Amino acid sequence: AQRVTQPEKLLSVFKGAPVELKCNYSYSGSPELFWYVQYSRQRLQLLLRHISRESIKGFTADLNKGETSFHLKKPFAQEEDSAMYYCALMVSGGGADGLTFGKGTHLIIQP
Amino acid sequence: DAGVIQSPRHEVTEMGQEVTLRCKPISGHDYLFWYRQTMMRGLELLIYFNNNVPIDDSGMPEDRFSAKMPNASFSTLKIQPSEPRDSAVYFCASSLVRVAGELFFGEGSRLTVL
């Protein structure tokens, strides 16, 4: 079965410092990877997906199939980036089958 | 659109009681998902529906859990009888098939079973 691992439960960095949230997955096929974010008192929402190769709010994530990783990065953290971040994996092609989520990383940006 | 609407937001009940959680997906969405979130296990997919039909319920923990989707605008997740270990936040989410992987979540129902 597929699995998503986020090794850090909590990550604290200072404002302006680079951020990297780690995500590793286990799946033998071709996965689709996503990052979801939950800001305080807001709903869990999609941040970005690997297939789009986009930068959202300064965040990027590259799928590394060799290392089975999909780390989320931002060069300069901002206080409003403080939130819970979840990496998610979708294994079936087409359709909208359920996502498998990691346990999440709580990112705290200190002023 | 108000997004995915869940009720109740909070529920406190005693062991053995029946619990019913409700969800109204975003109008026009094809898929509906029920997730459970706990500190120990994170977000777990319980069951999902496509066009009101249950597709995969392999995540439902045991027979005490059941879910229905009688029409495109309403779904329920029922626990009978409830147990303390069912205490968690239950999320409902919906999505469009053509935007695979983009789930829209409700605010969640926090269940406490005493």
Side-chain angles (χ1 to χ4, degrees):
Chain A
Q2 65 274 14
R3 182 184 296 176
V4 177
T5 302
Q6 293 180 251
E8 303 138 330
K9 284 189 177 180
L10 174 67
L11 181 63
S12 180
V13 301
F14 287 101
K15 176 182 172 182
V19 174
E20 182 177 49
L21 299 167
K22 291 184 168 53
C23 172
N24 289 91
Y25 66 91
S26 63
Y27 178 61
S28 56
S30 293
E32 292 189 49
L33 276 299
F34 306 82
W35 276 99
Y36 275 73
V37 61
Q38 187 171 26
Y39 301 103
S40 179
R41 300 187 187 85
Q42 293 188 29
R43 304 176 186 216
L44 188 59
Q45 59 188 284
L46 178 66
L47 178 63
L48 56 79
R49 69 189 82 200
H50 91 269
I51 200 167
S52 300
R53 294 182 174 275
E54 57 200 345
S55 173
I56 303 293
K57 299 184 178 182
F59 284 98
T60 58
D62 292 319
L63 178 60
N64 186 323
K65 291 187 177 181
E67 296 183 357
T68 60
S69 69
F70 187 56
H71 303 328
L72 183 68
K73 300 177 184 179
K74 184 169 182 176
F76 307 103
Q78 298 173 291
E79 288 186 65
E80 54 264 35
D81 296 328
S82 295
M84 280 293 296
Y85 290 81
Y86 295 90
C87 183
L89 166 71
M90 187 170 75
V91 299
S92 62
D97 298 314
L99 298 175
T100 297
F101 285 86
K103 292 189 177 181
T105 298
H106 187 186
L107 177 64
I108 297 174
I109 308 301
Q110 299 190 46
Chain B
D1 197 323
V4 175
I5 299 173
Q6 291 187 245
S7 65
R9 292 292 312 281
H10 302 276
E11 172 98 3
V12 180
T13 190
E14 293 189 345
M15 182 174 64
Q17 296 298 304
E18 177 179 294
V19 173
T20 299
L21 307 177
R22 298 172 178 81
C23 175
K24 182 181 187 305
I26 293 173
S27 177
H29 279 193
D30 310 282
Y31 282 79
L32 183 139
F33 306 84
W34 281 101
Y35 281 87
R36 177 173 69 175
Q37 184 181 47
T38 60
M39 289 292 290
M40 289 296 295
R41 302 171 71 92
L43 270 165
E44 301 174 277
L45 176 63
L46 300 177
I47 184 172
Y48 74 92
F49 297 82
N50 176 217
N51 291 323
N52 315 337
V53 176
I55 302 300
D56 184 355
D57 65 355
S58 60
M60 296 285 262
E62 46 195 280
D63 291 346
R64 297 185 297 106
F65 286 70
S66 63
K68 294 182 179 180
M69 191 166 186
N71 56 64
S73 59
F74 184 66
S75 176
T76 59
L77 178 67
K78 186 174 293 188
I79 309 171
Q80 166 64 16
S82 58
E83 296 182 4
R85 60 192 167 122
D86 302 331
S87 297
V89 181
Y90 291 82
F91 286 100
C92 177
S94 68
S95 72
L96 281 168
V97 64
R98 63 179 177 275
V99 194
E102 184 170 12
L103 273 58
F104 292 82
F105 282 82
E107 293 180 292
S109 293
R110 182 176 294 277
L111 172 65
T112 302
V113 183
L114 303 175

